[in-house]
Amino acid sequence: MINRLILPAAQKALTQFRALCITGPRQSGKTTLSKLLFNDKPYVNFENPSVQYEAEQNPESFLKKFRHGAVFDEVQRAPLIFRYLQEILDSSSKRGQFILTGSNNFLLQEQVSQSLAGRAGYLSLLPLSYAELADARLADKNVNKHILTGGYPEIWYEKLTANTWMGSYVQTYVQRDVRLLKNITNLATFNRFIYLCANYAGQILNRDELAKKTGVDTKTILAWLGLLESSYLIFQLQPWHNNMNKRIIKSPKIYFYDTGLLCYLLGVKSESVLKKNTAYGAIFENWIIAEIRKNNFNTAQNEGMYFFRDSAANEIDLIIEREGEPLAIEIKSGGKITDNMLRGLKYWQKLQPNSQCMLLHGGTLNEIINQRMSVLPWTEIVNL
């Protein structure tokens, strides 16, 4: 089994809170992690119809069987038990009584905020990161292998064909999870919306244009984007602004948590097709930014992640706020470094002279340009 880097953060959270909520996309490894943390406590899966029915019919009686704690998997499917679970947690000051998991952030967080506020800690487990695969000595020297495969554990454990697995994953998500979250009558239109979102990966989101192509109104697009976010399929990177006297872009960029899923939606099935794809630079950028986001989640850090772009099209792919100072990261898929690749960072340094800057690229060069600017290969993603 691949060691999950979030384990120390989860173990610490169990010493601080009476319950721990672990969210993340379906099949990201939440169940495996929870059983590892609570190997001596019962495991209850609320996706089992009989378990869900019993919990909904008589939640108080149901919970009496687990007064000493348990793992409650996909617990958002039985929202009635949260009020009674609150009574159990309040009856004892013991830390680490329950682990609650859910593949929908919105539903679980809503229940926790209403009933378990102050009683439950909160972590997000994403698919396997490059750092975790490197730690397990499974990482490939070819970044395109990681982009195409993505990070869902089952694909790596069972050595499955990622593209085939993703087809089933999307179908399951649309047919089952979406119906749980929102009453979408036309699943075909929603399915088309997901595929269209893939074409916006790494780009500034134009909601009106997306609405026109999907065939729904902008309000619906906003709701559906929220749906994909709460299910951990996508995230939106907001523009960075810090009282700068520059006209900046206000719309967010859209990224996928998993580039294996992104490649499937784009119809990219092989390395040769990936390298020829006109969106290769955006896909590579998506992979880098998603990896940094995974690293942050795995270490329970909440560092702000943004992008910068002004009205003159000066742009920095990623701005990370660290201890009050911005770290500027430019991302280029090419392996041969040119002066043009550093143009955006040099412009940024004029605006923010004290900011650290780095260029992350698809090659192997590792070089310090000056005291505040460095060039790093993509493998250094493990340290970000």
Side-chain angles (χ1 to χ4, degrees):
M1 186 177 72
I2 297 172
N3 179 44
R4 301 310 302 264
L5 296 182
I6 202 173
L7 184 62
Q11 290 170 329
K12 182 177 180 180
L14 287 170
T15 68
Q16 304 296 310
F17 298 96
R18 301 177 192 188
L20 173 61
C21 299
I22 302 176
T23 62
R26 185 173 293 279
Q27 299 293 321
S28 64
K30 299 184 298 297
T31 300
T32 302
L33 176 65
S34 299
K35 288 182 176 179
L36 179 64
L37 290 164
F38 272 10
N39 57 14
D40 60 341
K41 293 189 178 183
Y43 168 78
V44 184
N45 186 355
F46 286 87
E47 291 204 311
N48 183 319
S50 61
V51 172
Q52 183 181 353
Y53 178 79
E54 182 185 357
E56 289 289 329
Q57 289 299 304
N58 195 335
E60 188 173 16
S61 175
F62 177 82
L63 284 173
K64 284 181 180 179
K65 297 185 292 184
F66 306 104
R67 285 205 166 270
H68 298 293
V71 174
F72 285 168
D73 209 352
E74 299 295 341
V75 68
Q76 78 277 356
R77 289 181 173 269
L80 288 178
I81 74 166
F82 281 88
R83 286 193 311 177
Y84 296 92
L85 185 60
Q86 176 185 335
E87 295 179 13
I88 293 177
L89 295 178
D90 286 346
S91 67
S92 171
S93 61
K94 184 180 179 182
R95 309 292 107 168
Q97 297 178 49
F98 287 86
I99 293 179
L100 315 174
T101 83
S103 56
N104 183 270
N105 188 31
F106 174 76
L107 289 180
L108 184 56
Q109 193 172 42
E110 184 180 44
Q111 295 299 331
V112 169
S113 63
Q114 288 178 359
S115 304
L116 305 183
R119 304 168 181 85
Y122 205 80
L123 292 174
S124 296
L125 180 68
L126 298 178
L128 292 167
S129 67
Y130 175 77
E132 289 171 319
L133 291 167
D135 184 60
R137 298 184 178 181
L138 292 174
D140 200 279
K141 294 181 179 179
N142 182 359
V143 66
N144 294 325
K145 168 71 180 297
H146 289 281
I147 290 174
L148 283 165
T149 306
Y152 284 96
E154 188 176 21
I155 296 174
W156 287 93
Y157 292 150
E158 305 296 333
K159 298 180 179 179
L160 303 176
T161 303
N163 202 265
T164 303
W165 188 90
M166 291 297 176
S168 176
Y169 186 87
V170 172
Q171 186 70 13
T172 300
Y173 168 72
V174 172
Q175 294 294 338
R176 182 171 61 178
D177 290 2
V178 170
R179 285 179 172 172
L180 175 68
L181 293 165
K182 199 171 185 66
N183 183 25
I184 297 176
T185 55
N186 193 335
L187 288 177
T189 301
F190 183 79
N191 199 45
R192 183 166 70 251
F193 162 74
I194 296 175
Y195 280 82
L196 285 170
C197 283
N199 291 287
Y200 283 89
Q203 297 182 34
I204 292 172
L205 184 61
N206 187 327
R207 299 183 184 93
D208 292 333
E209 183 179 282
L210 185 56
K212 185 177 180 180
K213 290 182 177 180
T214 306
V216 296
D217 58 31
T218 305
K219 185 178 179 180
T220 300
I221 290 296
L222 287 171
W224 286 2
L225 286 170
L227 202 58
L228 296 188
E229 281 194 284
S230 63
S231 305
Y232 290 93
L233 265 64
I234 67 165
F235 60 96
Q236 295 185 54
L237 203 63
Q238 299 298 327
W240 188 90
H241 52 88
N242 190 17
N243 298 323
M244 295 172 60
N245 294 321
K246 294 285 180 182
R247 293 184 61 191
I248 59 169
I249 301 298
K250 296 182 179 179
S251 298
K253 282 187 175 183
I254 185 173
Y255 292 94
F256 278 73
Y257 276 108
D258 190 84
T259 53
L261 176 60
L262 173 59
C263 287
Y264 167 79
L265 295 172
L266 291 173
V268 177
K269 300 180 181 180
S270 66
E271 185 178 342
S272 60
V273 173
L274 174 63
K275 291 169 72 174
K276 293 177 183 177
N277 196 295
T278 55
Y280 177 66
I283 298 170
F284 179 84
E285 177 186 316
N286 192 135
W287 184 80
I288 291 287
I289 291 176
E291 287 297 314
I292 293 174
R293 198 168 180 88
K294 289 177 186 178
N295 293 346
N296 280 353
F297 281 12
N298 286 341
T299 51
Q301 296 184 56
N302 192 29
E303 294 175 328
M305 294 177 61
Y306 310 91
F307 76 95
F308 169 80
R309 186 174 182 179
D310 63 20
S311 57
N314 295 298
E315 185 171 4
I316 298 294
D317 294 322
L318 181 64
I319 304 292
I320 303 177
E321 288 187 341
R322 289 187 170 174
E323 298 178 355
E325 292 293 335
L327 166 64
I329 301 175
E330 189 69 5
I331 302 165
K332 300 295 182 184
S333 59
K336 185 178 180 181
I337 307 304
T338 64
D339 288 338
N340 190 51
M341 290 181 175
L342 299 171
R343 185 176 64 85
L345 292 175
K346 290 178 179 178
Y347 175 81
W348 175 261
Q349 283 194 325
K350 293 178 182 178
L351 301 175
Q352 300 283 325
N354 296 323
S355 178
Q356 289 289 335
C357 297
M358 66 176 64
L359 172 67
L360 275 173
H361 63 95
T364 58
L365 180 66
N366 191 330
E367 183 180 18
I368 297 175
I369 302 296
N370 57 48
Q371 189 178 1
R372 295 193 177 277
M373 187 179 296
S374 55
V375 174
L376 300 174
W378 63 272
T379 49
E380 287 298 307
I381 200 71
V382 297
N383 298 316
L384 289 174

